[in-house]
Short mmCIF file of all heavy atoms in Angstrom, two decimals:
data_model
loop_
_atom_site.label_atom_id
_atom_site.label_comp_id
_atom_site.label_asym_id
_atom_site.label_seq_id
_atom_site.Cartn_x
_atom_site.Cartn_y
_atom_site.Cartn_z
N ASN M 24 117.43 104.58 101.54
CA ASN M 24 116.25 104.59 102.49
C ASN M 24 115.76 106.03 102.59
O ASN M 24 116.15 106.73 103.49
CB ASN M 24 116.78 104.06 103.83
CG ASN M 24 115.65 103.78 104.68
OD1 ASN M 24 114.48 103.66 104.30
ND2 ASN M 24 115.86 103.55 106.01
N ALA M 25 114.95 106.35 101.64
CA ALA M 25 114.52 107.81 101.54
C ALA M 25 113.34 108.16 102.35
O ALA M 25 113.03 109.39 102.54
CB ALA M 25 114.25 108.05 100.12
N PHE M 26 112.56 107.25 102.99
CA PHE M 26 111.29 107.54 103.61
C PHE M 26 111.22 107.19 105.03
O PHE M 26 111.91 106.20 105.51
CB PHE M 26 110.12 106.89 102.87
CG PHE M 26 109.82 107.46 101.47
CD1 PHE M 26 110.53 107.02 100.38
CD2 PHE M 26 108.93 108.44 101.32
CE1 PHE M 26 110.32 107.51 99.12
CE2 PHE M 26 108.68 109.07 100.11
CZ PHE M 26 109.36 108.57 98.98
N SER M 27 110.45 107.92 105.82
CA SER M 27 110.27 107.61 107.25
C SER M 27 108.83 107.62 107.58
O SER M 27 107.99 108.32 106.95
CB SER M 27 110.97 108.65 108.07
OG SER M 27 112.41 108.59 108.07
N SER M 28 108.50 106.93 108.65
CA SER M 28 107.09 106.90 109.22
C SER M 28 107.22 106.84 110.67
O SER M 28 107.03 105.85 111.34
CB SER M 28 106.42 105.62 108.73
OG SER M 28 105.13 105.49 109.33
N PRO M 29 107.49 108.00 111.35
CA PRO M 29 107.89 108.06 112.71
C PRO M 29 106.73 107.80 113.64
O PRO M 29 106.94 107.33 114.82
CB PRO M 29 108.35 109.48 112.91
CG PRO M 29 107.71 110.28 111.82
CD PRO M 29 107.66 109.32 110.64
N ASN M 30 105.46 108.03 113.19
CA ASN M 30 104.34 107.89 114.05
C ASN M 30 103.51 106.63 113.82
O ASN M 30 102.40 106.44 114.46
CB ASN M 30 103.39 109.10 113.99
CG ASN M 30 104.03 110.37 114.69
OD1 ASN M 30 104.70 110.18 115.72
ND2 ASN M 30 103.92 111.48 114.05
N TYR M 31 104.00 105.74 112.89
CA TYR M 31 103.24 104.52 112.72
C TYR M 31 104.29 103.46 112.32
O TYR M 31 105.12 103.69 111.45
CB TYR M 31 102.14 104.62 111.65
CG TYR M 31 101.13 103.52 111.78
CD1 TYR M 31 100.12 103.60 112.71
CD2 TYR M 31 101.20 102.46 110.89
CE1 TYR M 31 99.13 102.53 112.80
CE2 TYR M 31 100.26 101.44 111.03
CZ TYR M 31 99.24 101.47 111.96
OH TYR M 31 98.29 100.44 112.09
N PRO M 32 104.17 102.20 112.86
CA PRO M 32 105.16 101.21 112.57
C PRO M 32 105.18 100.72 111.15
O PRO M 32 104.17 100.91 110.38
CB PRO M 32 104.75 100.04 113.43
CG PRO M 32 103.85 100.60 114.48
CD PRO M 32 103.15 101.76 113.85
N LYS M 33 106.23 100.14 110.69
CA LYS M 33 106.32 99.54 109.38
C LYS M 33 105.27 98.41 109.28
O LYS M 33 105.02 97.67 110.23
CB LYS M 33 107.67 98.99 109.11
CG LYS M 33 108.82 99.91 109.08
CD LYS M 33 110.17 99.21 109.13
CE LYS M 33 111.29 100.27 109.31
NZ LYS M 33 112.65 99.65 109.42
N LEU M 34 104.68 98.28 108.01
CA LEU M 34 103.71 97.21 107.79
C LEU M 34 104.40 95.87 107.43
O LEU M 34 103.85 94.87 107.74
CB LEU M 34 102.72 97.58 106.76
CG LEU M 34 102.00 98.88 106.87
CD1 LEU M 34 100.93 98.99 105.82
CD2 LEU M 34 101.31 98.97 108.31
N ALA M 35 105.60 95.98 106.88
CA ALA M 35 106.31 94.76 106.55
C ALA M 35 107.79 95.18 106.30
O ALA M 35 108.12 96.28 105.98
CB ALA M 35 105.77 94.15 105.26
N GLU M 36 108.65 94.17 106.48
CA GLU M 36 110.06 94.29 106.20
C GLU M 36 110.53 93.16 105.32
O GLU M 36 110.07 91.92 105.51
CB GLU M 36 110.90 94.31 107.44
CG GLU M 36 110.59 95.57 108.34
CD GLU M 36 111.28 95.49 109.74
OE1 GLU M 36 112.51 95.77 109.74
OE2 GLU M 36 110.61 95.11 110.72
N VAL M 37 111.37 93.40 104.33
CA VAL M 37 111.84 92.46 103.43
C VAL M 37 113.27 92.16 103.73
O VAL M 37 114.18 93.02 103.56
CB VAL M 37 111.64 92.85 101.96
CG1 VAL M 37 112.20 91.81 101.02
CG2 VAL M 37 110.20 93.09 101.61
N ASN M 38 113.56 90.95 104.12
CA ASN M 38 114.89 90.47 104.32
C ASN M 38 115.04 89.19 103.49
O ASN M 38 114.74 89.21 102.30
CB ASN M 38 115.19 90.17 105.80
CG ASN M 38 115.17 91.60 106.46
OD1 ASN M 38 116.02 92.48 106.27
ND2 ASN M 38 114.30 91.77 107.47
N THR M 39 115.45 88.07 104.11
CA THR M 39 115.43 86.82 103.33
C THR M 39 114.00 86.37 103.06
O THR M 39 113.73 85.64 102.09
CB THR M 39 116.21 85.70 104.06
OG1 THR M 39 115.68 85.58 105.35
CG2 THR M 39 117.74 86.13 104.11
N ASN M 40 113.08 86.77 103.95
CA ASN M 40 111.62 86.59 103.71
C ASN M 40 110.89 87.90 103.86
O ASN M 40 111.56 88.87 104.40
CB ASN M 40 111.15 85.57 104.74
CG ASN M 40 111.68 84.15 104.60
OD1 ASN M 40 111.62 83.60 103.54
ND2 ASN M 40 112.33 83.65 105.65
N ILE M 41 109.68 87.96 103.58
CA ILE M 41 108.86 89.08 103.80
C ILE M 41 108.17 88.94 105.13
O ILE M 41 107.36 87.92 105.33
CB ILE M 41 107.78 89.35 102.73
CG1 ILE M 41 108.47 89.47 101.35
CG2 ILE M 41 106.96 90.55 103.00
CD1 ILE M 41 107.58 89.65 100.17
N GLU M 42 108.49 89.74 106.08
CA GLU M 42 107.96 89.63 107.42
C GLU M 42 106.74 90.71 107.62
O GLU M 42 107.10 91.94 107.55
CB GLU M 42 108.95 89.92 108.49
CG GLU M 42 108.41 89.78 109.93
CD GLU M 42 109.36 90.13 111.01
OE1 GLU M 42 110.56 90.36 110.62
OE2 GLU M 42 109.06 90.24 112.19
N TYR M 43 105.52 90.33 107.67
CA TYR M 43 104.39 91.19 107.76
C TYR M 43 104.09 91.38 109.25
O TYR M 43 104.07 90.43 110.05
CB TYR M 43 103.13 90.57 107.06
CG TYR M 43 103.29 90.58 105.57
CD1 TYR M 43 103.73 89.37 105.01
CD2 TYR M 43 102.97 91.63 104.79
CE1 TYR M 43 103.84 89.35 103.55
CE2 TYR M 43 103.06 91.57 103.35
CZ TYR M 43 103.50 90.44 102.77
OH TYR M 43 103.63 90.39 101.43
N HIS M 44 103.88 92.66 109.63
CA HIS M 44 103.53 93.01 110.98
C HIS M 44 101.99 93.18 110.99
O HIS M 44 101.41 94.29 110.84
CB HIS M 44 104.26 94.31 111.36
CG HIS M 44 105.69 94.23 111.25
ND1 HIS M 44 106.50 93.14 111.74
CD2 HIS M 44 106.56 95.10 110.66
CE1 HIS M 44 107.73 93.38 111.45
NE2 HIS M 44 107.84 94.52 110.83
N LYS M 45 101.39 92.01 111.16
CA LYS M 45 99.86 91.94 110.91
C LYS M 45 99.03 92.89 111.83
O LYS M 45 98.00 93.32 111.37
CB LYS M 45 99.48 90.47 111.04
CG LYS M 45 100.09 89.60 109.94
CD LYS M 45 99.65 88.13 110.01
CE LYS M 45 100.37 87.26 109.01
NZ LYS M 45 99.98 85.84 109.14
N SER M 46 99.50 93.03 113.01
CA SER M 46 98.66 93.85 113.94
C SER M 46 98.58 95.27 113.51
O SER M 46 97.71 96.01 113.97
CB SER M 46 99.21 93.80 115.35
OG SER M 46 100.54 94.22 115.40
N PHE M 47 99.44 95.76 112.65
CA PHE M 47 99.37 97.07 112.15
C PHE M 47 98.80 97.34 110.83
O PHE M 47 98.74 98.39 110.33
CB PHE M 47 100.83 97.64 112.18
CG PHE M 47 101.56 97.68 113.49
CD1 PHE M 47 102.68 96.89 113.73
CD2 PHE M 47 100.98 98.23 114.68
CE1 PHE M 47 103.31 96.84 114.89
CE2 PHE M 47 101.61 98.17 115.88
CZ PHE M 47 102.75 97.40 116.02
N ILE M 48 98.44 96.13 110.13
CA ILE M 48 97.99 96.28 108.81
C ILE M 48 96.42 96.38 108.79
O ILE M 48 95.74 95.61 109.53
CB ILE M 48 98.36 95.00 107.92
CG1 ILE M 48 99.91 94.97 107.86
CG2 ILE M 48 97.76 94.99 106.60
CD1 ILE M 48 100.46 93.69 107.22
N HIS M 49 95.94 97.36 108.04
CA HIS M 49 94.47 97.52 107.98
C HIS M 49 93.91 96.33 107.25
O HIS M 49 94.28 95.83 106.19
CB HIS M 49 94.17 98.82 107.23
CG HIS M 49 92.67 98.98 106.87
ND1 HIS M 49 91.80 99.36 107.84
CD2 HIS M 49 91.95 98.77 105.81
CE1 HIS M 49 90.55 99.37 107.27
NE2 HIS M 49 90.65 99.02 106.01
N VAL M 50 92.68 95.86 107.81
CA VAL M 50 91.89 94.78 107.15
C VAL M 50 90.45 95.35 106.98
O VAL M 50 89.83 95.91 107.90
CB VAL M 50 91.82 93.55 108.12
CG1 VAL M 50 90.88 92.54 107.47
CG2 VAL M 50 93.20 92.99 108.41
N GLU M 51 90.07 95.38 105.68
CA GLU M 51 88.78 95.95 105.29
C GLU M 51 87.72 94.86 105.53
O GLU M 51 87.54 93.94 104.59
CB GLU M 51 88.81 96.40 103.88
CG GLU M 51 87.61 97.10 103.35
CD GLU M 51 87.42 98.51 104.08
OE1 GLU M 51 88.34 99.09 104.59
OE2 GLU M 51 86.20 98.92 104.08
N GLU M 52 86.90 94.96 106.51
CA GLU M 52 85.91 93.96 106.76
C GLU M 52 84.66 94.62 107.30
O GLU M 52 84.85 95.42 108.26
CB GLU M 52 86.39 92.85 107.79
CG GLU M 52 87.34 91.92 107.27
CD GLU M 52 87.77 90.79 108.30
OE1 GLU M 52 87.52 91.05 109.55
OE2 GLU M 52 88.27 89.81 107.83
N PRO M 53 83.54 94.37 106.83
CA PRO M 53 83.31 93.48 105.59
C PRO M 53 83.74 94.31 104.32
O PRO M 53 83.78 95.55 104.38
CB PRO M 53 81.78 93.19 105.56
CG PRO M 53 81.24 94.47 106.25
CD PRO M 53 82.21 94.84 107.24
N VAL M 54 84.00 93.59 103.28
CA VAL M 54 84.48 94.29 102.01
C VAL M 54 83.28 94.88 101.41
O VAL M 54 82.28 94.30 101.21
CB VAL M 54 85.13 93.22 101.07
CG1 VAL M 54 85.44 93.95 99.76
CG2 VAL M 54 86.35 92.66 101.76
N LYS M 55 83.44 96.22 101.14
CA LYS M 55 82.32 96.97 100.47
C LYS M 55 82.83 97.39 99.12
O LYS M 55 83.89 97.32 98.76
CB LYS M 55 82.01 98.25 101.29
CG LYS M 55 81.60 97.92 102.67
CD LYS M 55 81.49 99.25 103.53
CE LYS M 55 81.25 98.94 104.96
NZ LYS M 55 81.26 100.19 105.79
N PRO M 56 81.87 97.83 98.25
CA PRO M 56 82.27 98.26 96.91
C PRO M 56 83.16 99.44 97.01
O PRO M 56 83.06 100.40 97.86
CB PRO M 56 80.93 98.64 96.25
CG PRO M 56 79.88 97.86 97.03
CD PRO M 56 80.43 97.74 98.42
N LEU M 57 84.20 99.50 96.09
CA LEU M 57 85.15 100.65 96.10
C LEU M 57 84.38 101.91 95.68
O LEU M 57 83.55 101.91 94.77
CB LEU M 57 86.29 100.35 95.14
CG LEU M 57 87.31 101.52 94.94
CD1 LEU M 57 88.13 101.53 96.24
CD2 LEU M 57 88.18 101.27 93.76
N VAL M 58 84.65 102.94 96.40
CA VAL M 58 84.06 104.28 96.01
C VAL M 58 85.29 105.14 95.64
O VAL M 58 86.12 105.38 96.42
CB VAL M 58 83.32 104.95 97.16
CG1 VAL M 58 82.82 106.41 96.72
CG2 VAL M 58 82.13 104.07 97.55
N VAL M 59 85.31 105.62 94.32
CA VAL M 59 86.38 106.49 93.87
C VAL M 59 85.87 107.97 93.93
O VAL M 59 84.97 108.25 93.17
CB VAL M 59 86.93 106.13 92.54
CG1 VAL M 59 87.95 107.06 92.05
CG2 VAL M 59 87.31 104.69 92.48
N HIS M 60 86.39 108.80 94.80
CA HIS M 60 85.99 110.21 94.84
C HIS M 60 86.66 111.03 93.73
O HIS M 60 87.84 110.71 93.41
CB HIS M 60 86.33 110.73 96.25
CG HIS M 60 85.55 110.04 97.38
ND1 HIS M 60 84.27 110.46 97.63
CD2 HIS M 60 85.87 109.03 98.22
CE1 HIS M 60 83.80 109.67 98.62
NE2 HIS M 60 84.79 108.80 98.97
N ASP M 61 86.03 111.98 93.24
CA ASP M 61 86.57 112.73 92.12
C ASP M 61 86.61 114.17 92.33
O ASP M 61 86.55 114.95 91.33
CB ASP M 61 85.83 112.33 90.83
CG ASP M 61 84.37 112.71 90.92
OD1 ASP M 61 83.89 113.18 91.89
OD2 ASP M 61 83.67 112.48 89.81
N LYS M 62 86.56 114.60 93.60
CA LYS M 62 86.62 116.01 93.91
C LYS M 62 87.65 116.37 94.95
O LYS M 62 87.60 115.68 96.02
CB LYS M 62 85.13 116.59 94.27
CG LYS M 62 84.06 116.51 93.27
CD LYS M 62 82.82 117.16 93.71
CE LYS M 62 81.79 117.25 92.65
NZ LYS M 62 81.31 115.93 92.18
N MET M 63 88.45 117.33 94.74
CA MET M 63 89.36 117.95 95.69
C MET M 63 89.36 119.41 95.53
O MET M 63 89.14 119.94 94.42
CB MET M 63 90.76 117.38 95.51
CG MET M 63 90.89 115.85 95.70
SD MET M 63 92.56 115.26 95.69
CE MET M 63 93.04 115.41 97.39
N ASP M 64 89.53 120.17 96.56
CA ASP M 64 89.55 121.62 96.53
C ASP M 64 91.01 121.99 96.97
O ASP M 64 91.33 121.86 98.16
CB ASP M 64 88.50 122.21 97.46
CG ASP M 64 88.33 123.71 97.31
OD1 ASP M 64 89.40 124.38 96.87
OD2 ASP M 64 87.30 124.22 97.63
N ASP M 65 91.75 122.65 96.09
CA ASP M 65 93.13 123.05 96.49
C ASP M 65 93.24 124.48 97.01
O ASP M 65 94.31 125.04 96.98
CB ASP M 65 94.06 122.82 95.30
CG ASP M 65 93.70 123.55 94.05
OD1 ASP M 65 92.74 124.39 94.12
OD2 ASP M 65 94.33 123.33 93.04
N ASN M 66 92.15 125.09 97.40
CA ASN M 66 92.16 126.41 97.95
C ASN M 66 92.67 126.39 99.45
O ASN M 66 91.98 126.80 100.38
CB ASN M 66 90.81 127.11 97.85
CG ASN M 66 90.51 127.60 96.48
OD1 ASN M 66 91.17 128.39 95.84
ND2 ASN M 66 89.49 126.96 95.85
N ILE M 67 93.97 125.91 99.52
CA ILE M 67 94.48 125.93 100.87
C ILE M 67 95.93 126.51 100.77
O ILE M 67 96.40 126.76 99.78
CB ILE M 67 94.57 124.45 101.33
CG1 ILE M 67 95.61 123.63 100.57
CG2 ILE M 67 93.18 123.74 101.42
CD1 ILE M 67 96.03 122.27 101.30
N ALA M 68 96.52 126.74 101.99
CA ALA M 68 97.84 127.23 102.06
C ALA M 68 98.56 126.52 103.24
O ALA M 68 97.89 125.96 104.18
CB ALA M 68 97.86 128.71 102.42
N ILE M 69 99.91 126.43 103.17
CA ILE M 69 100.71 125.97 104.18
C ILE M 69 101.53 127.08 104.78
O ILE M 69 102.21 127.86 104.05
CB ILE M 69 101.74 124.85 103.76
CG1 ILE M 69 100.99 123.65 103.16
CG2 ILE M 69 102.58 124.42 104.99
CD1 ILE M 69 101.87 122.58 102.56
N VAL M 70 101.52 127.36 106.04
CA VAL M 70 102.26 128.34 106.70
C VAL M 70 103.18 127.71 107.75
O VAL M 70 102.69 127.05 108.68
CB VAL M 70 101.36 129.48 107.39
CG1 VAL M 70 102.26 130.39 108.29
CG2 VAL M 70 100.61 130.15 106.42
N LYS M 71 104.50 127.84 107.54
CA LYS M 71 105.45 127.33 108.51
C LYS M 71 105.88 128.50 109.45
O LYS M 71 106.52 129.46 108.93
CB LYS M 71 106.65 126.70 107.80
CG LYS M 71 107.63 126.11 108.72
CD LYS M 71 108.74 125.34 108.02
CE LYS M 71 109.73 124.65 109.00
NZ LYS M 71 110.58 123.71 108.25
#
């Protein structure tokens, strides 16, 4: 169990069945054409 999501609930859990937590799952309505962006700028830094 390598990952955590402390500030947002799980979307689903798999046991004997797949239990979906529907109130937390994003629903895209109305459905629009997918837009694939192709620009990112990596001129950033992280300071701890």
Side-chain angles (χ1 to χ4, degrees):
N24 190 14
F26 289 87
S27 289
S28 174
N30 288 320
Y31 200 78
K33 299 169 185 175
L34 303 187
E36 296 176 76
V37 177
N38 294 297
T39 53
N40 295 303
I41 302 176
E42 180 185 356
Y43 292 94
H44 305 312
K45 295 179 183 177
S46 60
F47 301 119
I48 297 172
H49 171 76
V50 178
E51 187 68 23
E52 288 182 343
V54 175
K55 303 173 187 174
L57 179 72
V58 177
V59 180
H60 295 279
D61 61 0
K62 291 186 177 66
M63 298 184 90
D64 188 335
D65 60 6
N66 284 297
I67 70 165
I69 301 175
V70 172
K71 182 171 184 172

